[in-house]
Amino acid sequence: MRKKIEKAINNRIVAPVQLFMGQEKSGGIVLGLSVLLALLLANSAWGDAYHHLLEQKLGFVFDDTAYLNYSLHHWINDGLMSVFFFVVGLELKREFIGGELSNPRNTILPIGAALGGMMVPALVYMLLNHSTATAAGWGIPMATDIAFALAVVYLLGDRVPVAVKVFLTTLAIVDDLGAVLIIALFYTSEISMGNLMIGFGFLSLMFIANKLGVKNVLFYLVVAFVGVWTAFLLSGIHATIAAVLSAFMVPADSSMSENVYVQRLKKHLKDFLEADGNEVRLLEEEQVEILSQIKDDATQAIPPLQRLEHRMASLVTFVVLPIFAVANAGVSFVGMDVSGLLSTPVMAGVALGLLIGKPLGVVGFTWLLVKMGMAKLPDGFTMRHLLGLGFLASIGFTMSMFVSTLALSQGEWLVQAKVGIFAASLVGGCLGYWLLKKA
C-alpha cells in the first residue's frame, strides 16, 4: 500500500513538477503568472493591504538602534535581486571563459545588435524627455528580459533555428552586462568611501582565496552576501553590483581534473562490484562508503562556479524573479486617466523606446555590420528572424522595471514607466512570436 502511494505521488505530483521546471519556457510562464497575480492584487479589494505590506520595515535592532532598517520592497529590490545578479555574474564569467563570449569573432554580430538595442532606445527616450526631471529614466528601455524572450522562442520549438536561439541568448547576456555597467555608473547615490573600501577588502579576500585554491562554495557565499553585499549596500553603490563582482571571484576550475575523476570513478565502480552485498534493501557499510567517495569526487570534479550556478538557477527562476514581479508589477488602474497617461513623456519614452528603439537598434546595427563585411548572418538565419528577435528584445519587463525603481523618484512617474513597459513588452512579444512563426 505504501509503495502504491509513493508511486502515485511521484507520478502525479513530483514527476510533472520536475518536468515543468526542466523546460526552458517554464521560467517565463511562472513570471507571467506572477505579473498577473500582482495586477490582480493591486486592482482588488486587497490593493491597499498589498501596498501596505510592501512598505513594512524590516531590520535589526541593537541597543535601541535600528540597523539595515528598510522596507520589504527595498529588501526585495536590493537584497533578493542581488541573488539574481549573482547568478548573472556566474553566467557571464562562464560565457567569457568557455561560452558564447569566449571567441570575440563569433560574437561580433550579437554584441553589435545588443549595443544597438541599448543605444537607440535610450536616444528615443531622451528625445521625449530631454531637459526634464524625468530625463534620468533613459536607462529603462535599454534592458531585455531574457526569461520572457527565451520563453517565447522555446514556445515555437523546432520552428526556430538553433542559430536564432544562440543569437538571442548571446544578445541577452551582453544586454545584462550593459545593464550592470549602467547601474554601476549612472544609478549610484552618494558614496561612502569607508564602506566601499571594506567591500573591496572582502572582494580581495575572495580573490586571494581563489588563488590559494579554496573551493568551498559556502565560504564564497558567506563572504559575498554577508561581507561584500552589506558593505556595498552601506556605501551607496547599488548592492546588485556587489553580487556581480563577487560572482567573478568564484573559482572556475575544479579540484580534480577530468582524467583523474574518470580513473577514480572506474576504481570505485570496481570496488563496489567486488564489495559484499546482502539480501535486504539496506546497503553494507563498505558500499555506503564507496558511494560517498563517488559523491565527494563528483563534487570536486565540478568547478565551484558551475556548482553554484546549477544550484541557484532554479531558485532565481522560480522564487526570486516571481517575488520581484509580485512586488513591482502591482500597478492599480482604478481611477487612472488612460488617455492622459498615454500623452506623458515618461510612458511614451519607455514604450516607444522599447517597441521602436529596440528593434531598430538590433536590426539596424546588425544590418550595418553585415553590410560593412565585419560579420555575416549564421546559416539559416534570415532578416525576418532578425526582425522577430528585435521585437522579442523589446520585452524589457523585469530588468526595465528594476532600472525604473532606481531612475525615477516619484511614484507617479514610476507608474507611467511600468505601464509603458507592460504595453511595449506585450505588443513586442506578440509581434516577435508572429514574425518568428511566419519565418
Side-chain angles (χ1 to χ4, degrees):
M1 183 66 179
R2 194 175 108 186
K3 286 184 178 180
K4 287 183 179 180
I5 294 174
E6 289 177 354
K7 186 176 180 182
I9 292 174
N10 184 67
N11 291 339
R12 296 185 182 182
I13 300 176
V14 178
V17 169
Q18 289 177 336
L19 179 63
F20 174 77
M21 291 178 67
Q23 296 177 351
E24 295 284 350
K25 60 188 177 185
S26 302
I29 293 172
V30 172
L31 201 54
L33 293 174
S34 302
V35 174
L36 290 176
L37 175 61
L39 291 172
L40 287 172
L41 286 172
N43 292 277
S44 69
W46 299 297
D48 290 338
Y50 160 76
H51 291 291
H52 181 67
L53 175 64
L54 291 173
E55 294 307 314
Q56 292 299 304
K57 296 279 188 177
L58 294 173
F60 305 95
V61 178
F62 184 74
D63 285 343
D64 296 327
T65 303
Y67 298 93
L68 299 175
N69 191 34
Y70 303 117
S71 67
L72 178 60
H73 189 255
H74 191 282
W75 276 111
I76 291 171
N77 286 359
D78 280 43
L80 208 57
M81 280 300 282
S82 292
V83 179
F84 165 71
F85 276 93
F86 184 75
V87 175
V88 168
L90 294 174
E91 291 174 350
L92 286 172
K93 183 172 182 178
R94 174 174 51 79
E95 292 295 333
F96 277 122
I97 293 173
E100 297 297 331
L101 301 179
S102 60
N103 188 344
R105 272 188 192 180
N106 297 336
T107 58
I108 290 175
L109 212 55
I111 288 176
L115 292 174
M118 289 187 284
M119 293 169 62
V120 178
L123 288 173
V124 171
Y125 183 92
M126 285 304 295
L127 284 174
L128 297 169
N129 290 269
H130 66 92
S131 301
T132 67
T134 58
W138 58 268
I140 300 171
M142 295 176 71
T144 294
D145 192 304
I146 182 61
F148 271 132
L150 284 178
V152 173
V153 168
Y154 281 97
L155 281 174
L156 292 165
D158 294 336
R159 294 186 183 188
V160 179
V162 175
V164 174
K165 298 175 183 177
V166 172
F167 187 94
L168 177 61
T169 302
T170 309
L171 184 152
I173 290 168
V174 177
D175 200 285
D176 281 345
L177 180 58
V180 170
L181 292 174
I182 288 167
I183 291 169
L185 297 174
F186 300 102
Y187 296 116
T188 293
S189 57
E190 285 188 30
I191 298 176
S192 166
M193 293 305 297
N195 286 310
L196 186 60
M197 289 301 101
I198 293 173
F200 277 108
F202 280 113
L203 278 173
S204 300
L205 176 62
M206 295 177 72
F207 178 79
I208 293 169
N210 184 341
K211 294 303 178 184
L212 291 175
V214 177
K215 308 296 182 186
N216 189 303
V217 294
L218 182 60
F219 166 81
Y220 291 100
L221 283 175
V222 170
V223 176
F225 287 99
V226 176
V228 183
W229 179 84
T230 304
F232 269 65
L233 180 67
L234 296 173
S235 74
I237 292 181
H238 203 272
T240 53
I241 305 303
V244 175
L245 293 175
S246 297
F248 272 81
M249 299 300 125
V250 176
D253 55 329
S254 60
S255 303
M256 185 181 297
S257 68
E258 294 177 35
N259 291 333
V260 173
Y261 175 69
V262 170
Q263 295 303 317
R264 288 179 65 89
L265 185 59
K266 288 179 180 178
K267 180 181 180 300
H268 290 321
L269 289 174
K270 181 175 177 293
D271 293 341
F272 188 82
L273 291 172
E274 293 176 353
D276 293 331
N278 55 46
E279 301 298 326
V280 297
R281 275 195 265 171
L282 294 173
L283 296 171
E284 291 294 333
E285 190 63 35
E286 183 183 2
Q287 293 175 309
V288 173
E289 180 62 30
I290 293 170
L291 292 178
S292 297
Q293 290 175 0
I294 292 174
K295 184 179 178 180
D296 291 341
D297 287 350
T299 299
Q300 291 184 52
I302 304 173
L305 182 144
Q306 290 178 296
R307 263 189 278 160
L308 279 173
E309 184 185 351
H310 179 72
R311 291 177 184 176
M312 298 179 71
S314 296
L315 173 67
V316 166
T317 302
F318 298 107
V319 178
V320 173
L321 291 181
I323 291 176
F324 174 82
V326 170
N328 288 274
V331 176
S332 176
F333 297 101
V334 178
M336 184 180 289
D337 181 9
V338 179
S339 59
L341 191 68
L342 292 172
S343 63
T344 60
V346 173
M347 181 186 171
V350 171
L352 295 178
L354 284 169
L355 195 56
I356 295 177
K358 271 288 184 182
L360 192 60
V362 170
V363 176
F365 273 56
T366 303
W367 177 84
L368 193 61
L369 288 171
V370 172
K371 283 295 180 182
M372 292 172 64
M374 297 179 67
K376 64 177 183 177
L377 288 174
D379 294 336
F381 196 115
T382 66
M383 289 303 292
R384 181 171 284 189
H385 285 132
L386 181 61
L387 185 60
L389 289 186
F391 278 106
L392 287 188
S394 69
I395 305 177
F397 201 70
T398 306
M399 289 299 295
S400 290
M401 282 207 306
F402 183 72
V403 175
S404 69
T405 62
L406 304 176
L408 302 175
S409 56
Q410 289 191 20
E412 184 181 352
W413 297 340
L414 199 55
V415 170
Q416 294 166 9
K418 287 181 179 180
V419 174
I421 294 166
F422 287 151
S425 297
L426 182 62
V427 175
C430 291
L431 284 173
Y433 179 87
W434 180 78
L435 284 167
L436 289 174
K437 187 177 181 181
K438 291 294 181 183

